[in-house]
Amino acid sequence: MAVSSSGKTVAALTAAALGAVGFLTYQAAASASDRPAGPADRASASASPEPGAGRETGPESNETANEQPPVPAGSGTGLRVVYSLGAKRVWLVGEDERPVRTYEVWPSAVSPAPGEYAVVSRAESVAGSDGVPIEHSVVFTTAEGVVVGFSAAVDGSRPDPDAGPRTGGIRAPRKDGAAMWKFAPVGTKVVVVR
């Protein structure tokens, strides 16, 4: 029995589709660190590992859980990362509308416009665009042709907005960068407010 050319085409397309599914399955298994964070993972991003420890919130803050600033009004609803340009602060907000963690950040030379974004990529360890080794990079947009995202410098350094190339790294202390990494997998909503 002869096989028609359309039958050969269908067979070739089926084989290609099965190969693509196999490759994507392999990629998914290889990038398990980018899996969506579940409720337990996001809960572990909280600032205080033990009751009464207080919330250390960033570069130069002594805030406790009772003194932390509220999530900005008009920053959306649901599970999200909120970044305030004016306050130079980030809130990791849970599905219950309560902040899981908040901390101050060091912005870079290029800032994103206010609006709603989503995490588009992550890198556990990479060199920042200023050449500084960074970890827990969580990228959510570009501005003025520059990639913008949250990260922590491995050496704890701050970005210098006046030196070298214009960068979009919003830097935080390492413990806060690790909390962001656990909280914000690809697709997580990021809201930037003034």
Side-chain angles (χ1 to χ4, degrees):
M1 175 188 224
V3 178
S4 69
S5 63
S6 63
K8 289 180 184 177
T9 302
V10 170
L13 289 173
T14 301
L18 289 173
V21 168
F23 176 73
L24 291 173
T25 302
Y26 167 78
Q27 272 191 321
S31 65
S33 66
D34 274 347
R35 67 172 172 72
D41 292 331
R42 287 190 169 116
S44 71
S46 66
S48 300
E50 52 196 49
R55 286 187 188 214
E56 293 184 39
T57 58
E60 297 165 11
S61 176
N62 295 328
E63 294 176 31
T64 64
N66 295 333
E67 298 170 344
Q68 66 178 322
V71 177
S75 66
T77 60
L79 190 139
R80 65 198 182 280
V81 173
V82 177
Y83 172 43
S84 169
L85 298 167
K88 298 178 184 171
R89 177 173 289 278
V90 166
W91 289 261
L92 307 180
V93 183
E95 293 171 358
D96 62 359
E97 295 298 319
R98 292 183 180 186
V100 174
R101 185 182 191 101
T102 183
Y103 53 91
E104 291 178 301
V105 293
W106 301 300
S108 197
V110 177
S111 295
E116 186 174 309
Y117 304 90
V119 174
V120 294
S121 69
R122 298 169 12 123
E124 197 160 7
S125 179
V126 69
S129 54
D130 57 359
V132 174
I134 59 173
E135 63 186 3
H136 301 129
S137 171
V138 176
V139 174
F140 63 93
T141 192
T142 59
E144 301 174 34
V146 175
V147 173
V148 178
F150 305 105
S151 64
V154 174
D155 66 3
S157 65
R158 303 175 185 201
D160 182 356
D162 299 324
R166 294 172 51 81
T167 62
I170 303 160
R171 298 254 171 93
R174 293 180 77 185
K175 65 185 186 310
D176 295 319
M180 173 70 77
W181 181 259
K182 287 182 179 180
F183 185 85
V186 170
T188 301
K189 181 167 48 173
V190 177
V191 180
V192 178
V193 298
R194 293 206 185 279

